[in-house]
Amino acid sequence: MASYLFIESRDPFEVNDVDYYYDIASGLRSRNNEVTLFLVQNGVFPARQNPSSNTLSQLAESGVRILADELSLNERGITLDSLVDGVESSPLDIVIDEMVAGTKTIWH
Amino acid sequence: MSEKKTLTFSLMDAPFENARTTTALRLIDTAVRRGHNVNVFAYEGAVCLPFSKQAAHPNKVHGCEADEWNHPLPKDWVTEIMKLAEKTGSKLDWINCGLCVDERGVAESVAGVRRGTPGDLVNWANASDNTLVIPTK
């Protein structure tokens, strides 16, 4: 079992291939890998409840840990009570923690 | 801090264009703040990040002169992280891709930046505890 950290910096309402990135995270999780999806910059937009909220919720239910950069949320006025179920706010430091721990870290 | 590790970052974005630059420098700052050794390989437009001739400009629309506008300059951020590394005992090694520098005419960099080749990135990636590539697209 390997550990993966997927960093998503793009908004799926703006860039179509974000869904493929989610799919890779889901696929690796279904093969019993530890997978964290870290949302940053415009990548945090889908973390706000929206008509497509179930995409991230389903990903979280599948066992992918989903974190959203605290600063990126604040910059965009996304409050904690508006987050999709399964998404947690987190400082950016988690990326360094994971890198130090040897997690395979991939940026999109 | 836990055991000191060596982390490598590869940056591609030119300054003043994308939030990726800010996020990348936030990550590097965090790693240095924690005392880890950090390698930065900058290529393509990112070689302009530490370009020493960046200059603040006024914003006449807001009635501000250059000294009042507090215009952020990435070269200053890089310098501050270099200074932070000295305090925390981190080894911060920043290499600008030489060909990319020449193409852009940005050879004058802030102190602590040196010239190299993509081969340096390969060597760093092989020797580091972890590597994060932050591409433009």
Side-chain angles (χ1 to χ4, degrees):
Chain A
M1 185 176 74
S3 296
Y4 294 87
L5 173 65
F6 287 83
I7 302 172
E8 180 52 82
S9 64
R10 304 176 197 204
D11 176 4
F13 300 108
E14 187 180 359
V15 182
N16 281 335
D17 56 5
V18 171
D19 283 339
Y20 295 117
Y21 201 60
Y22 294 166
D23 287 346
I24 295 170
S26 174
L28 284 167
R29 178 61 199 145
S30 70
R31 288 162 178 78
N32 289 323
N33 295 289
E34 283 186 14
V35 182
T36 299
L37 176 65
F38 186 83
L39 309 173
V40 68
Q41 299 166 201
N42 284 349
V44 302
F45 277 125
R48 181 176 50 192
Q49 289 166 19
N50 65 82
S52 302
S53 291
N54 60 354
T55 304
L56 283 183
S57 292
Q58 285 172 0
L59 204 54
E61 284 170 13
S62 74
V64 174
R65 180 186 180 207
I66 307 179
L67 305 173
D69 176 44
E70 202 170 45
L71 179 74
S72 302
L73 290 172
N74 288 338
E75 282 178 332
R76 290 159 181 79
I78 301 174
T79 54
L80 296 182
D81 59 2
S82 68
L83 291 180
V84 169
D85 287 344
V87 179
E88 295 173 44
S89 171
S90 166
L92 188 69
D93 305 39
I94 190 75
V95 175
I96 300 301
D97 291 340
E98 294 291 337
M99 288 182 73
V100 165
T103 301
K104 298 175 195 296
T105 308
I106 304 154
W107 180 288
H108 181 245
Chain B
M1 186 196 79
S2 55
E3 187 186 353
K4 180 178 281 205
K5 299 281 187 175
T6 300
L7 305 177
T8 293
F9 296 86
S10 173
L11 314 182
M12 191 177 179
D13 279 287
F16 308 109
E17 289 186 6
N18 197 285
R20 279 186 292 269
T21 297
T22 310
T23 306
L25 292 175
R26 285 174 64 204
L27 286 170
I28 294 165
D29 176 86
T30 301
V32 166
R33 206 167 285 279
R34 294 185 177 192
H36 297 298
N37 294 331
V38 176
N39 300 319
V40 179
F41 183 79
Y43 68 116
E44 301 294 355
V47 298
C48 300
L49 288 170
F51 183 49
S52 63
K53 292 189 175 177
Q54 292 171 12
H57 60 69
N59 190 327
K60 297 294 186 185
V61 174
H62 290 271
C64 294
E65 296 301 327
D67 59 340
E68 299 168 309
W69 185 236
N70 194 24
H71 191 289
L73 297 175
K75 74 177 174 81
D76 295 335
W77 297 341
V78 172
T79 298
E80 288 305 313
I81 297 174
M82 294 278 185
K83 288 179 186 170
L84 179 64
E86 289 176 10
K87 288 181 187 168
T88 62
S90 294
K91 180 174 178 286
L92 175 56
D93 198 355
W94 185 302
I95 288 181
N96 267 353
C97 167
L99 294 179
C100 308
V101 165
D102 292 343
E103 286 170 344
R104 291 162 179 79
V106 290
E108 301 89 346
S109 293
V110 297
V113 174
R114 62 191 179 99
R115 182 186 173 95
T117 73
D120 292 307
L121 174 59
V122 174
N123 293 336
W124 273 346
N126 285 330
S128 297
D129 294 291
N130 215 330
T131 298
L132 176 60
V133 175
I134 304 179
T136 54
K137 297 274 185 182

